[in-house]
Amino acid sequence: MLNAQELRKKYLEFFASKGHTVISSASLIPENDPTTLFTGSGMQPMVPYLLGEKHPLGTRISDSQKCFRAVDMDEVGDNRHTTFFEMLGNWSLGDYFKNEQINWIFDFLTEDIGLNPARLFVTCFRGDKKNNIPKDEEVANLWQKLFQKKGIDAKIVDYPEQGGLQDGRIFYYDANKNWWSRAGIPENMPDGEPGGPDSEMFWDFGIDLKFHEQSKWKDKPCHVNCDCGRFMEIGNNVFMEYLKVGDKFEKLKQQNVDFGGGIERIAAALNDNQDMFAIDLFTGARKKLEEVSGKKYGEDEKETYAFRVIMDHLRAATFLIDDGAMPSNKDQGYFTRRLIRRAVRYANDLGITNIFTPEVAGIYIEEYSEHYPSLQKNKELILNELRKEETKFRETLEQGIKEFEKLLKGFQLALEKTGHAITEISGKQAFKLYDTYGFPIEMTEELAKENNLTVDKIGFDESYKAHQQLSRQGAEQKFKGGLADHGEMSVKYHTATHLLHAALRQVLGNHVEQKGSNITAERLRFDFSHSDKMTDEQIKEVENLVNSAIQKDYQVSFAEMTIAEAKEKGAIGLFGDKYGEMVKVYTVGDPEQEVLVNVSSPTFSREICGGPHVEHTGIMGHFKIVKEESSSAGIRRIKAILE
Ligand code: SER
């Protein structure tokens, strides 16, 4: 059977035979773009050409692009998440369009690499009346003809979200599934951003596997975009022909195709095994790990999880170092360090006590060098960096784990003595683990979670800041908060500004945007875009909404993600302008639910912000607006207190 290395080769050969120039992957670290940390999709380096700039190598380009998504780091360990992946891509830069693309990609999948068409399902864009973008019947019909040629009667079905598969093979979905832009759905696209309808292809792992029945979606009908695991997206054809201009859409001056397909996913389909780590790209590393640990992949759940984390993280670290991101405390290097340290910590679960990261990386280097020759060139550097980082970390890890266990013992003793369980590791304790034992805070959080404990992140940040000021050195914090003072009252006021911001938008309209904020321990001040003086009723309504949110005692939590993902999740707040930049997004309420600003909503606010915030809104007291006045032209100012 075809392996992933051959798949890459075949794909590039196929598109070369269709007149494409094969280019090599751009770096994982975007060039000339200091605000974007990593290349996270195949199209990212192509944006200027999609917008109309002339590509020096013509109008048909194909490649396999290295991608790294730091947000997925904590998800790795299941059978389908990786931080690093390769995206097979082909581009028409104002050249061919829907007909050629759909015909070619179908041929490639079903003829060249031999995927069974009966196991392929596809989706198309349902259209967007609001933005005057039509339903993509053209592409749906193209697919139907192609399946027909294979003797498959492919039914086109609308509203699979409600009705399920309904014996269909071609499905229409809204923009949240079948529209691609770096910022997500049309509404979230900034001025000047290109995007377009897309058509995705899915592999069916089979109804017999009973994924759906055993998943949390079992009460709803299964459809291709259901996350139960039966279907896996293996590629996306984007027909990029629109440009956002103001809040409207215009046609770009050229019709582009952006196809992207994850190598690992297509290989998993070829394998017909939903465990992505079972593909050949991981075989060498897995064997090496089995050899050094004496453990077998797939035998024990916890160990298999550790195998996957290590395989993913060391592959990513190998490629990151190759592209110049040496392990360090800042920027991209911070992620390389985190990857290596996490891998070493998970190696503990496999009983690996000797230096092993260079050995695993060595295998990746051998296997990937044919397509990525710089790995061979930088081999010594990569292995040295890994050895250095692992050695340094191992020296402290053992002591750190002991320290952590001591903490647990202390908690246990306290429970026996007082009858009260301690469920939180204090900021000071977490900071000691960080400062003395080199535990990234995320690692302490993971260890805590494994032991059903939480970590006082606010307290940790406080200790961190105090330490920073003391030592006056800039061990740069990755996600900067906007507050100078982390005192308890200011934290409450900070959360109050999020509630206020959400409530103002609800009452006055979505034109309301934060224009400034200032917090002391006594009050908050919030400036926002709105031209008219607020009426007494509006003020009352805003106060009531905020107080209802406080009374509901929402949980407040955050997640780190790219700006594009933040926008997709409906986050408000100050966006940077570069795709891929990591931000922290705070949610008041259920982080999985959509934001609705009303008294019965599960989720009240979602905003990009550095924090810190209270953990529960219930502790904030009673919110009162004490002043509403003009700040400058078109900007109002509110002063409010918590009583
Ligand atoms: N840009 C699209 C994606 O990343 C296809 O390459 O899914």
Side-chain angles (χ1 to χ4, degrees):
M1 202 200 47
L2 201 65
N3 66 34
Q5 306 276 13
E6 291 159 352
L7 164 65
R8 186 196 303 111
K9 207 158 158 233
K10 276 205 170 236
Y11 173 83
L12 297 174
E13 276 167 12
F14 179 90
F15 279 94
S17 80
K18 307 289 180 204
H20 290 65
T21 303
V22 177
I23 60 170
S24 49
S25 172
S27 170
L28 285 168
I29 297 162
E31 279 163 43
N32 306 323
D33 192 353
T35 55
T36 305
L37 278 183
F38 297 108
T39 302
S41 77
M43 64 86 78
Q44 211 167 303
M46 299 297 287
V47 175
Y49 311 110
L50 295 164
L51 286 168
E53 199 177 298
K54 235 175 123 63
H55 196 291
L57 296 170
T59 54
R60 297 183 179 194
I61 306 287
S62 178
D63 69 358
S64 177
Q65 173 64 47
K66 299 178 275 188
C67 299
F68 179 72
R69 292 190 181 165
V71 277
D72 287 338
M73 202 182 287
D74 297 324
E75 310 277 339
V76 178
D78 65 6
N79 63 13
R80 55 175 63 205
H81 280 91
T82 61
T83 55
F84 172 91
F85 60 96
E86 284 175 89
M87 199 139 186
L88 297 172
N90 63 271
W91 280 272
S92 157
L93 304 169
D95 191 318
Y96 58 88
F97 206 42
K98 295 179 176 176
N99 185 33
E100 292 87 338
Q101 176 60 23
I102 299 298
N103 272 282
W104 287 341
I105 203 70
F106 188 78
D107 268 7
F108 174 71
L109 293 179
T110 59
E111 298 289 331
D112 283 62
I113 62 171
L115 285 179
N116 178 358
R119 305 276 293 279
L120 286 176
F121 289 73
V122 298
T123 62
C124 303
F125 185 49
R126 180 179 287 146
D128 177 350
K129 290 210 179 79
K130 232 176 16 264
N131 288 307
N132 224 354
I133 296 161
K135 188 170 187 166
D136 202 350
E137 287 172 344
E138 182 185 349
V139 165
N141 291 333
L142 283 167
W143 285 121
Q144 195 171 40
K145 276 202 201 99
L146 286 166
F147 279 112
Q148 194 74 55
K149 272 200 211 151
K150 298 272 179 198
I152 296 170
D153 185 18
K155 194 168 130 194
I156 303 177
V157 162
D158 209 344
Y159 296 99
E161 310 94 313
Q162 282 115 48
L165 293 170
Q166 303 164 67
D167 293 326
R169 186 166 294 273
I170 301 164
F171 304 93
Y172 287 117
Y173 283 91
D174 279 335
N176 63 350
K177 296 291 178 203
N178 280 85
W179 176 271
W180 212 90
S181 82
R182 292 181 298 177
I185 58 171
E187 282 66 30
N188 289 347
M189 290 165 64
D191 188 39
E193 184 67 20
D198 66 41
S199 181
E200 297 187 326
M201 305 169 310
F202 291 80
W203 180 254
D204 180 5
F205 283 111
I207 191 155
D208 330 332
L209 293 174
K210 306 265 176 265
F211 286 113
H212 196 73
E213 291 87 325
Q214 286 159 18
S215 76
K216 59 176 173 181
W217 293 273
K218 64 176 182 300
D219 297 329
K220 294 192 175 147
C222 184
H223 57 112
V224 292
N225 272 313
C226 156
D227 285 323
C228 72
R230 174 174 164 190
F231 296 96
M232 179 181 66
E233 186 212 324
I234 57 169
N236 188 7
N237 305 276
V238 185
F239 301 106
M240 206 171 268
E241 60 167 333
Y242 292 98
L243 181 71
K244 184 97 175 251
V245 181
D247 57 1
K248 299 227 160 20
F249 280 90
E250 285 178 9
K251 286 274 174 90
L252 276 169
K253 47 184 181 216
Q254 61 188 41
Q255 288 183 320
N256 304 298
V257 173
D258 155 17
F259 170 77
I263 278 199
E264 289 81 355
R265 287 171 169 241
I266 301 176
L270 280 165
N271 247 357
D272 203 13
N273 180 346
Q274 58 296 1
D275 183 1
M276 218 140 82
F277 291 91
I279 65 175
D280 61 294
L281 291 176
F282 294 107
T283 307
R286 192 185 68 227
K287 286 201 174 133
K288 176 53 81 184
L289 279 175
E290 287 180 337
E291 181 194 313
V292 294
S293 69
K295 302 276 162 63
K296 270 240 155 321
Y297 178 79
E299 268 181 3
D300 170 272
E301 202 178 320
K302 187 170 173 202
E303 287 169 4
T304 299
Y305 190 95
F307 264 103
R308 289 172 177 158
V309 172
I310 300 168
M311 289 192 281
D312 170 75
H313 285 15
L314 292 183
R315 184 174 68 152
T318 300
F319 275 96
L320 283 172
I321 297 172
D322 187 34
D323 278 340
M326 308 306 156
S328 79
N329 263 341
K330 50 183 224 163
D331 302 331
Q332 288 94 347
Y334 173 76
F335 291 90
T336 314
R337 170 162 285 171
R338 240 182 99 189
L339 287 164
I340 300 169
R341 292 187 170 191
R342 282 191 97 219
V344 174
R345 182 170 92 67
Y346 277 94
N348 246 15
D349 290 353
L350 298 180
I352 302 174
T353 47
N354 293 324
I355 303 283
F356 77 106
T357 58
E359 285 191 64
V360 178
I363 305 254
Y364 282 131
I365 293 172
E366 289 316 314
E367 292 189 349
Y368 275 96
S369 279
E370 193 185 330
H371 193 73
Y372 298 103
S374 66
L375 286 170
Q376 197 62 44
K377 217 175 72 217
N378 291 328
K379 183 172 171 182
E380 282 319 306
L381 170 86
I382 297 169
L383 300 185
N384 270 335
E385 286 294 329
L386 282 164
R387 190 174 297 113
K388 257 185 358 209
E389 184 67 25
E390 182 178 356
T391 309
K392 200 158 55 180
F393 186 52
R394 275 192 183 282
E395 279 166 14
T396 53
L397 178 70
E398 212 176 312
Q399 288 161 291
I401 298 262
K402 274 200 196 121
E403 177 73 19
F404 189 85
E405 278 162 2
K406 233 166 58 197
L407 270 181
L408 291 182
K409 258 208 201 105
F411 286 7
Q412 185 61 33
L413 279 178
L415 173 65
E416 282 161 15
K417 253 197 178 144
T418 65
H420 290 293
I422 304 173
T423 56
E424 183 169 82
I425 293 174
S426 75
K428 283 218 173 74
Q429 290 164 332
F431 186 73
K432 185 170 177 200
L433 286 168
Y434 168 83
D435 192 38
T436 315
Y437 302 101
F439 280 25
I441 179 67
E442 297 84 2
M443 198 168 113
T444 304
E445 285 179 315
E446 275 171 26
L447 282 168
K449 207 165 141 201
E450 281 171 20
N451 290 283
N452 295 323
L453 297 169
T454 54
V455 179
D456 175 11
K457 264 297 285 275
I458 296 181
F460 173 82
D461 285 345
E462 265 174 39
S463 300
Y464 184 92
K465 276 234 148 129
H467 169 83
Q468 250 188 335
Q469 274 160 8
L470 260 181
S471 60
R472 284 190 186 284
Q473 46 157 308
E476 188 188 328
Q477 221 177 335
K478 281 257 63 78
F479 305 97
K480 292 197 185 71
L483 288 180
D485 170 9
H486 284 201
E488 200 190 322
M489 261 331 273
S490 357
V491 173
K492 289 182 186 170
Y493 275 121
H494 190 196
T495 307
T497 59
H498 281 218
L499 301 180
L500 173 62
H501 193 181
L504 284 168
R505 285 167 68 94
Q506 178 64 24
V507 174
L508 303 175
N510 282 345
H511 60 277
V512 169
E513 267 173 8
Q514 173 170 349
K515 292 291 173 196
S517 147
N518 175 281
I519 287 167
T520 70
E522 282 79 39
R523 57 114 183 96
L524 69 82
R525 195 180 79 201
F526 188 74
D527 293 354
F528 59 97
S529 46
H530 183 62
S531 32
D532 300 328
K533 184 170 174 55
M534 285 173 74
T535 64
D536 288 346
E537 291 77 53
Q538 287 171 333
I539 291 178
K540 195 82 230 138
E541 211 180 323
V542 167
E543 280 178 341
N544 286 346
L545 271 172
V546 172
N547 281 317
S548 74
I550 294 175
Q551 272 154 25
K552 270 203 89 157
D553 196 17
Y554 286 114
Q555 168 206 343
V556 183
S557 60
F558 75 86
E560 288 158 12
M561 59 187 83
T562 61
I563 291 171
E565 282 165 312
K567 287 183 180 174
E568 192 156 2
K569 289 194 154 54
I572 56 172
L574 304 172
F575 294 99
D577 53 0
K578 287 296 192 297
Y579 180 65
E581 190 181 349
M582 297 293 293
V583 291
K584 240 167 146 174
V585 172
Y586 272 89
T587 298
V588 177
D590 184 346
E592 301 305 324
Q593 302 281 326
E594 212 183 302
V595 177
L596 292 169
V597 188
N598 64 43
V599 282
S600 53
S601 161
T603 304
F604 194 86
S605 131
R606 181 166 293 133
E607 186 161 349
I608 292 187
C609 172
H613 284 279
V614 300
E615 286 180 19
H616 283 271
T617 57
I619 62 161
M620 290 166 58
H622 184 260
F623 175 82
K624 192 167 154 116
I625 293 178
V626 290
K627 203 166 206 168
E628 192 278 334
E629 60 188 344
S630 164
S631 159
S632 59
I635 312 268
R636 307 293 303 174
R637 168 169 291 180
I638 278 179
K639 287 186 182 150
I641 55 169
L642 290 167
E643 306 172 299

